[in-house]
């Protein structure tokens, strides 16, 4: 799989996923069964998937990446 998400971008996506989980389960009371809270917390799965795989499908569509020079040397250039 093509890796096109850099370390800083992965960190921000992970924080976004944690925020969505907190908002959905705690703030919107999804843990008590509120449907909207459960849906918001489930929406955190997409950023978590991108963090784990280091790949973003939108970046692939537009042929961009957020890799540093060090990461390009390690994983290869995603534009090639």
């Amino acid at each position: 799989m093509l890796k096109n998400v850099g370390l800083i971008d992965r960190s921000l996506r992970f924080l976004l996923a944690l925020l969505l989980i907190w908002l959905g389960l705690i703030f919107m009371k999804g843990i008590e069964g509120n449907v909207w809270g459960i849906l918001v917390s489930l929406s955190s799965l997409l950023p978590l998937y991108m963090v784990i795989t280091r790949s973003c499908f939108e970046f692939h569509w537009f042929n961009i990446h957020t890799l540093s020079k060090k990461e390009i040397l390690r994983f290869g250039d995603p534009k090639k």
Side-chain angles (χ1 to χ4, degrees), residues 3-66:
K3 296 184 180 8
N4 58 9
V5 177
L7 179 64
I8 295 171
D9 197 8
R10 280 193 343 236
S11 301
L12 292 174
R13 289 171 194 254
F14 183 72
L15 291 174
L16 173 66
L18 290 178
L19 177 69
L20 287 172
I21 290 171
W22 178 80
L23 280 174
L25 293 180
I26 307 300
F27 188 73
M28 297 178 73
K29 300 187 188 316
I31 204 161
E32 296 175 8
N34 184 354
V35 176
W36 286 109
I38 293 170
L39 290 175
V40 168
S41 62
L42 283 176
S43 69
S44 70
L45 292 176
L46 185 61
L48 280 177
Y49 173 78
M50 291 182 214
V51 167
I52 292 169
T53 61
R54 296 180 181 173
S55 179
C56 177
F57 57 91
E58 290 175 349
F59 284 2
H60 182 68
W61 292 342
F62 295 111
N63 199 21
I64 58 175
H65 64 84
T66 58

